[in-house]
């Protein structure tokens, strides 16, 4: 039987996973010209080479830790597993697609940058067949995949993007949002189908400094052309999509809207300094208008007594700013590693009107808790406010997924405490005791879901 030399251009699709340390490409799905079986491919059947490019098309130059100069971000990526798959990349016994599982490494990361600024990059793959693939007809040889047919990201199901209809103070923001599924939850082995609420809670989540619009438009090249990318980084850069997943949605009766505005610069921008310590923001009125506009557009499906606002770092600051400017509007505020400095008596009085749950870590490298959250929490508690604060000794992986070379949990910088927020690990108060509602311990998200304005 003669071998088949394929002449049609082979195509591949990427599968993106939204992880604790940013989005990464976890699988490649290759379209084959014939069906294969479960034993017909192995990880050694293909070589995978990745070149990471700026959105302008130039190769990303990156200085790796310990290196003395920047080098092109390219190289071979190991294949962890290979198997027949559906067109969406799900494992199958046979099919005309093959999925290659990839590790979460630098070359598979989809965002580049740091806490003060980040940008999307393009992961360009060249997948080369290195071993013959048997089929029911002619064996497959010589396949080379260089053309990407698109991306699959299951975590973005029911997520959308939009823009404010009207500018406020000359500001018109884009935003991402999650539309909950209002269909009843199917019956399980221990109970009947469960109805969803007619009107659902709204979670407004505010991104950090690295996910603002202004820091990503030049493709990482000073003086380079603008490369608009929309607000997607605002809700994928730090896994805000965890709020649309089953666990946290479950606290909100199985359905909660999630609204993620993208700031044009930084939420802390006071019109003079973009990262000032004045506790003022030029975006407060525009942000409130965006929230009001969104609520009006979905008035028949949003419970206005259950509007939660939260945010990380820069967005943690803006969470407090919004609670202070609009007392009684939000059912709860969830500021994470929030840079609020020198709180005044007026600040404390205003913030006392909204239930708050702070999250911070000892040793935060960017926002010193001794200058921000700790004195503010003490003042709020003394004023009789409903206030909780989960205070971690440090930030390390608590999921068991990420480990150091010696097998210990992976440690990260202590400012990145939002990792614990999105994993629903905020469950204790400042003194280490459980937060209780009706005699039952609750975590931050369940607590927030129980609040009403």
């Amino acid at each position: 039987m003669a071998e088949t030399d394929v002449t049609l251009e082979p195509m591949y699709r990427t599968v993106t996973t939204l992880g604790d340390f940013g989005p990464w490409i976890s699988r490649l799905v290759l379209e084959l010209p014939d069906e294969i079986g479960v034993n017909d491919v192995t990880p050694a059947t293909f070589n995978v080479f990745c070149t990471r490019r700026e959105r302008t098309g130039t190769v990303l130059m990156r200085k790796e830790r310990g290196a003395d100069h920047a080098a092109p971000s390219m190289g071979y990526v190991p294949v962890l597993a290979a198997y027949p798959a559906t067109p969406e990349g799900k494992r199958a016994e046979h099919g005309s697609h093959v999925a290659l599982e990839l590790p979460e490494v630098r070359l598979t990361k989809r965002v580049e940058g740091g806490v003060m600024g980040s940008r999307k990059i393009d992961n360009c793959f060249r997948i080369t067949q290195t071993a013959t693939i048997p089929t029911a007809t002619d064996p497959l040889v010589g396949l080379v995949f260089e053309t990407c047919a698109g991306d699959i990201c299951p975590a973005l199901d029911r997520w959308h993007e939009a823009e404010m209809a009207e500018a406020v103070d000359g500001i018109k923001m884009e935003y991402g949002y999650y539309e909950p599924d209002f269909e009843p939850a199917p019956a399980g082995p221990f109970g009947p189908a469960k109805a969803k609420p007619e009107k659902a809670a709204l979670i407004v989540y505010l991104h950090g400094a690295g996910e603002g619009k202004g820091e990503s438009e030049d493709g990482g090249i000073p003086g380079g052309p603008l490369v608009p990318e929309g607000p997607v980084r605002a809700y994928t850069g730090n896994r805000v999509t965890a709020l649309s997943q089953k666990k946290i949605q479950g606290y909100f009766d199985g359905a909660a809207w999630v609204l993620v505005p993208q700031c044009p610069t930084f939420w802390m921008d006071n019109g003079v300094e973009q990262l000032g310590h004045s506790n003022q923001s030029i975006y407060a009125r525009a942000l409130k208008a965006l929230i009001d506009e969104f609520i009006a557009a979905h008035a028949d499906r949003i419970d206005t007594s259950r509007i939660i606002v939260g945010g990380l770092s820069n967005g943690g600051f803006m969470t407090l700013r919004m609670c202070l400017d609009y007392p009684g509007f939000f059912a709860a505020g969830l500021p994470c590693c929030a840079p609020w400095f020198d709180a005044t008596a007026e600040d404390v009085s205003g913030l006392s009107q909204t239930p708050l749950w702070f999250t911070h870590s000892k040793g935060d490298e960017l926002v010193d808790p001794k200058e921000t959250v700790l004195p503010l929490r003490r003042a709020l508690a003394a004023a009789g406010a409903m206030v909780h604060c989960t205070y971690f000794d440090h930030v390390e992986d608590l999921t068991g997924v990420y480990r150091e070379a010696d097998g210990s949990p992976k440690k990260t910088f202590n400012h990145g405490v939002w990792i614990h927020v999105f994993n629903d690990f905020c469950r204790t108060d400042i003194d280490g005791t459980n937060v209780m509602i009706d005699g039952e311990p609750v975590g931050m998200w369940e607590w927030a879901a129980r609040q009403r304005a």
Side-chain angles (χ1 to χ4, degrees):
M1 184 179 293
E3 294 182 341
T4 298
D5 190 359
V6 180
T7 57
L8 294 176
E9 181 182 27
M11 308 281 280
Y12 73 89
R13 299 182 77 183
T14 56
V15 177
T16 294
T17 294
L18 305 180
D20 285 339
F21 297 93
W24 59 285
I25 295 172
S26 56
R27 270 173 292 167
L28 300 174
V29 184
L30 316 181
E31 185 177 357
L32 302 179
D34 205 344
E35 282 205 353
I36 62 168
V38 70
N39 296 318
D40 294 336
V41 290
T42 72
T45 304
F46 294 95
N47 275 345
V48 175
F49 189 87
C50 180
T51 301
R52 300 173 78 220
R53 296 183 180 276
E54 302 284 4
R55 304 304 297 280
T56 54
T58 60
V59 176
L60 169 67
M61 300 296 292
R62 190 175 196 281
K63 184 177 180 181
E64 300 293 345
R65 181 177 297 180
D68 59 2
H69 64 281
S73 187
M74 60 173 63
Y76 285 98
V77 180
V79 177
L80 302 180
Y83 45 81
T86 67
E88 296 74 34
K90 296 180 180 179
R91 189 184 291 267
E93 289 297 314
H94 55 83
S96 59
H97 292 77
V98 60
L100 307 181
E101 292 188 1
L102 306 181
E104 185 177 3
V105 293
R106 178 59 57 188
L107 288 173
T108 57
K109 293 286 189 177
R110 301 202 63 187
V111 171
E112 186 70 13
V115 69
M116 297 306 295
S118 63
R119 62 194 184 277
K120 286 178 61 180
I121 55 93
D122 292 324
N123 305 71
C124 302
F125 291 93
R126 177 184 171 89
I127 305 106
T128 305
Q129 182 185 357
T130 58
T132 300
I133 301 174
T135 71
T137 54
D138 295 334
L140 302 177
V141 297
L143 293 171
V144 179
F145 299 80
E146 293 185 288
T147 302
C148 182
D151 182 69
I152 305 165
C153 185
L156 292 183
D157 184 35
R158 303 186 70 87
W159 279 86
H160 313 280
E161 295 183 3
E163 184 180 37
M164 291 176 65
E166 300 291 339
V168 174
D169 298 333
I171 298 166
K172 195 174 185 182
M173 285 184 273
E174 295 179 286
Y175 58 91
Y177 70 96
Y178 170 74
E179 180 179 8
D181 183 359
F182 286 94
E183 291 297 316
F190 303 108
K194 188 175 181 181
K196 303 284 183 67
E198 183 178 341
K199 290 189 175 185
L202 169 63
I203 304 170
V204 181
Y205 208 83
L206 307 175
H207 62 76
E211 292 75 51
K213 184 181 178 71
E215 291 299 306
S216 65
E217 303 262 15
D218 64 358
I221 305 170
L226 297 181
V227 185
E229 59 183 39
V232 64
R233 280 182 308 108
Y235 56 92
T236 61
N238 287 305
R239 206 165 73 87
V240 180
T241 52
L243 308 185
S244 65
Q245 300 303 302
K246 184 176 181 180
K247 184 176 185 180
I248 293 176
Q249 286 282 308
Y251 296 136
F252 293 87
D253 306 314
W257 298 83
V258 185
L259 173 63
V260 188
Q262 186 178 45
C263 181
T265 57
F266 300 99
W267 296 117
M268 294 172 70
D269 190 339
N270 61 16
V272 178
E273 297 177 285
Q274 289 194 343
L275 293 169
H277 288 193
S278 67
N279 297 335
Q280 301 296 320
S281 174
I282 61 173
Y283 294 111
R285 278 178 21 90
L287 178 56
K288 180 57 163 57
L290 187 158
I291 297 169
D292 290 341
E293 179 185 295
F294 187 82
I295 292 171
H298 307 282
D300 60 333
R301 284 299 201 177
I302 291 179
D303 182 350
T304 55
S305 73
R306 304 181 71 192
I307 302 173
I308 311 299
V309 62
L312 63 91
S313 191
N314 228 253
F317 152 80
M318 199 60 179
T319 296
L320 292 170
R321 185 70 258 168
M322 296 301 288
C323 289
L324 184 57
D325 287 347
Y326 303 100
F329 181 80
F330 300 103
L334 310 175
C336 173
C337 50
W340 191 277
F341 298 92
D342 302 319
T344 66
E346 184 180 4
D347 292 343
V348 172
S349 176
L351 290 171
S352 295
Q353 299 181 54
T354 302
L356 298 172
W357 188 316
F358 292 86
T359 308
H360 219 106
S361 176
K362 187 176 183 178
D364 187 317
E365 303 86 350
L366 296 183
V367 182
D368 187 344
K370 296 189 296 295
E371 297 179 1
T372 54
V373 64
L374 295 181
L376 178 54
R377 189 213 66 84
R378 283 194 298 269
L380 287 167
M386 182 187 292
V387 59
H388 301 293
C389 177
T390 300
Y391 194 62
F392 291 93
D393 286 337
H394 55 273
V395 180
E396 66 180 17
D397 178 62
L398 300 177
T399 67
V401 173
Y402 300 94
R403 298 193 177 277
E404 302 286 359
D406 63 2
S408 63
K410 179 180 176 63
K411 294 178 175 58
T412 187
F413 71 141
N414 291 316
H415 186 58
V417 73
W418 54 80
I419 292 172
H420 296 335
V421 169
F422 295 135
N423 280 300
D424 193 28
F425 291 150
C426 302
R427 298 188 162 270
T428 56
D429 215 331
I430 190 74
D431 59 0
T433 61
N434 291 324
V435 175
M436 311 288 287
I437 293 182
D438 298 332
E440 180 184 21
V442 295
M444 186 189 75
W445 289 108
E446 184 175 5
W447 173 87
R450 303 257 197 115
Q451 306 305 312
R452 300 292 187 277

